[in-house]
Amino acid sequence: MSAEFPTLFSSLEVDGVHLSNRIIMGSMHTGLEGHPFSLKKLGEFYRHRARGGVGLIVTGGFAPNMRGWLVPFSGKLSNAWEVRLHRQVTDAVHEFPTKILCQLLHAGRYAYHPWSKAPSAIASPISRFSPSAMTHKEVRRCIDDFVRSACLAKQAGYDGVEVMGSEGYLIHQFFSDRTNQRNDEYGRDQKGRMKFALEIVEKIREKVQSPFLIMFRLPMIDLLPTGSTFDQVLELGQNLQQSGVSIINSGIGWHESRVPTIASMVPHGAFAWVTEKFAKQLQVPLVASNRINSPEVAENILLSGQADFVSMARPFLADAQWVEKVRNGKRSSINICIACNQACLDHIFEGKKASCLVNPQACHETDRVIRPTWKPKKLLVVGAGPAGMAFAYYAAKKGHHVHLWEKEAAAGGQFTLAAKIPGKEEFQKTISFYLQEYSRLNVQMKLGKTFDFHSFDGESFDEIVFASGVRPRVPRIDGMDHPKVIFYDKLLTLPDSHHGSYAIVGAGGIGFDVAEFLSHRSLGATPVEDYCKQWNIDQSLTHAGGLSSHHQHPSVSKKIFVLQRKASKPGKDLSKTTGWIRRKILSDRGVEFLTGVSYDSIDDRGIHIRQGEKKITLEVDRVVICAGQESVQPELPPLTIPTHWIGGCRQARELDAKSAILDAFSLAAKI
């Protein structure tokens, strides 16, 4: 047990299953659940986390039948021959004291295939396929399929199952009157809508006795205007207790809800207060979830009685050894999840295998490997932005002697700027992680050190890696030398940037970042209160769905314009899972977007633009240039040693930190 986090590392026995600590690695889609031959890779993914000391793992969703697939040929556990394949997962985890549950998930109307079934034939706004309504016979058969899957999970060596009853999937669809308009015993009223979930749990418990965990993901807050009430959900929870559940997990929101629940702008432990309200009314152990990634937040949730367990998913993508590092007092060595969604959720929505921006090895444990070198080299890395810092870290882990030069007084590059954006402060923790590891790996870092080939002694190094990054691109607009003009990298370092009016040239990711930076205002006394007010979340839970009808948005006294050459929707190329959030935030704050514009000039009045045939003068105090980036590539004579280019200095077009860090990892793995 950790003396610093005694509650977090206290053990608990539930239904005859011993859990060594209160930390759960929550369910997440990895893209490894579907193909039979990928289950070995999935087992290796979980084995790394089990070796790291997590108490309980919940797999990504496995369907109880083919119609329950999320997409064709996604994860399924419905046949006896699949048991042997799943043994690859459970055997890998059980090399360690960690326990593992198989999540049983039926997509219902959220399925991305034409065979979808749902309680009623009501289409989902997030799937192009309309479901057909299940017949009474199909409902009964589906319940039996859930029970069969649970029995197969037991045979496969799982310590239990998590029944996915929230986030808008099939069981949740039965429970909600917005998706269940049936007139038979599985509809009509609250009792009927609960029946599907209760029979699944009752029959699983009847077939599979303890020791075997049944965790149910309870839809605690819908975050939809016409969602369930607190009393309705509480009644379901109380009935589940009687039906044989071991643990109740917190389900937050539907996938179609227009409230962010796990993105970077959501504060830590933002929904622990929801779990707390149910903890006061239910007797079985409860799990708090969503945006818990630090041991301090986790310990406080447990110590205050808000929950009995904490669930973290993406933090274990970022660092498989999270638990071990906390237990051993090495919190500063944790590679923190920055909640960017770029390599995890975005990949899943694009049909790719999940990974992690700050840890490219996540979900690639068998094919992205850093093996110790037999011939250590002396390497020079020029530039300490994300690419340079990542390369130095991985190359040093491999056993090379790494020297890292950075011309600025601080490391971090574009990550240092990103960390200044409200909601992205944790980007600074990635920089801190690398700096901490450099001490352990003996990376020799020099700040304020400019590379000068005239005085460079190439014989001192075996190879050189340029990670000199990017600089803002200068657009061709008359008046670019006017005092009103400022580039985004300078703006973000000024203390008085919140005063005046602004025109932002460029509506890409950086343009959105700058608009958020300039328009940010606090509404509440704490980050959670601020977040709840901004997104109209009713913390009293007196409104159905947990949303208040009273809209509260921060007033912006200054005028902010975001300008885009393309006529398409602003931010069209932003992240699929966070782009809509960022557009809504700026819209709520009164930021005005102008698309299809051309730029004439900048003068004392402001910026003069054209929108079609219309001439417009925006009388602003400052014109912020966010018109893309270009590579910083020092001109070099032929060098006598091998030279490499990574990150933005290799290719600035469509650069992001995910590709820069993966670029760095790939070179380090083979150098």
Side-chain angles (χ1 to χ4, degrees), residues 467-482:
S468 42
V470 295
R471 59 180 164 233
R473 188 178 69 83
V474 182
R476 295 180 180 178
I477 305 174
D478 289 341
M480 281 296 296
D481 57 349
H482 194 277

Side-chain angles (χ1 to χ4, degrees), residues 268-538:
H268 293 163
F271 291 97
W273 59 271
V274 178
T275 310
E276 182 181 22
K277 288 183 181 296
F278 286 91
K280 293 175 180 178
Q281 304 284 342
L282 300 174
Q283 284 71 55
V284 297
L286 262 64
V287 183
S289 67
N290 289 53
R291 287 293 281 139
I292 303 168
N293 72 349
S294 75
E296 293 82 5
V297 171
E299 177 74 10
N300 184 62
I301 288 171
L302 298 175
L303 198 59
S304 63
Q306 291 179 299
D308 303 281
F309 295 93
V310 290
S311 175
M312 297 177 285
R314 293 173 303 166
F316 288 106
L317 287 176
D319 198 326
Q321 304 302 309
W322 192 98
V323 176
E324 181 181 3
K325 289 177 179 179
V326 174
R327 180 187 284 119
N328 295 331
K330 298 179 179 179
R331 299 198 309 284
S332 59
S333 293
I334 296 174
N335 197 2
I336 293 290
C337 166
I338 60 175
C340 64
N341 289 0
Q342 286 180 246
C344 50
L345 288 180
D346 283 356
H347 276 205
I348 293 300
F349 276 94
E350 294 165 5
K352 301 177 182 177
K353 188 189 302 183
S355 189
C356 178
L357 182 148
V358 300
N359 177 21
Q361 291 178 282
C363 301
H364 292 267
E365 285 75 14
T366 60
D367 53 88
R368 292 180 184 169
V369 181
I370 293 290
R371 293 184 173 87
T373 182
W374 293 101
K375 295 181 178 180
K377 298 176 182 179
K378 186 178 180 182
L379 305 176
L380 173 62
V381 185
V382 178
M389 295 191 80
F391 175 83
Y393 167 67
Y394 288 114
K397 278 187 72 175
K398 195 171 180 178
H400 293 302
H401 307 296
V402 181
H403 292 250
L404 178 59
W405 293 358
E406 168 57 47
K407 66 179 182 179
E408 302 295 339
Q414 295 293 306
F415 258 34
T416 301
L417 297 176
K420 296 182 181 297
I421 310 303
K424 291 188 175 182
E425 294 86 356
E426 282 181 322
F427 280 53
Q428 185 64 44
K429 293 185 179 180
T430 301
I431 301 171
S432 299
F433 164 75
Y434 286 133
L435 295 178
Q436 170 71 25
E437 291 298 284
Y438 291 165
S439 300
R440 181 177 65 86
L441 297 169
N442 199 29
V443 172
Q444 303 299 306
M445 186 173 186
K446 292 184 179 180
L447 298 173
K449 174 70 173 177
T450 301
F451 176 84
D452 182 0
F453 74 85
H454 293 293
S455 59
F456 175 64
D457 181 9
E459 300 301 320
S460 299
F461 298 96
D462 296 310
E463 299 189 33
I464 181 170
V465 177
F466 284 100
S468 42
V470 295
R471 59 180 164 233
R473 188 178 69 83
V474 182
R476 295 180 180 178
I477 305 174
D478 289 341
M480 281 296 296
D481 57 349
H482 194 277
K484 285 182 181 286
V485 174
I486 186 169
F487 286 84
Y488 71 87
D489 56 339
K490 301 298 182 186
L491 176 86
L492 293 174
T493 63
L494 296 178
D496 63 341
S497 299
H498 291 282
H499 302 290
S501 54
Y502 295 82
I504 300 170
V505 176
I510 295 174
F512 269 73
D513 276 350
V514 168
E516 290 174 38
F517 174 78
L518 293 172
S519 62
H520 179 71
R521 288 291 182 273
S522 178
L523 282 170
T526 68
V528 172
E529 289 176 356
D530 192 7
Y531 160 76
C532 289
K533 288 180 179 179
Q534 182 177 1
W535 293 94
N536 306 312
I537 298 171
D538 171 27

Side-chain angles (χ1 to χ4, degrees), residues 40-60:
K40 185 175 182 179
K41 294 183 177 181
L42 184 66
E44 188 65 13
F45 168 69
Y46 288 133
R47 189 177 74 84
H48 278 68
R49 278 74 195 167
R51 185 175 62 190
V54 64
L56 177 65
I57 292 173
V58 185
T59 70

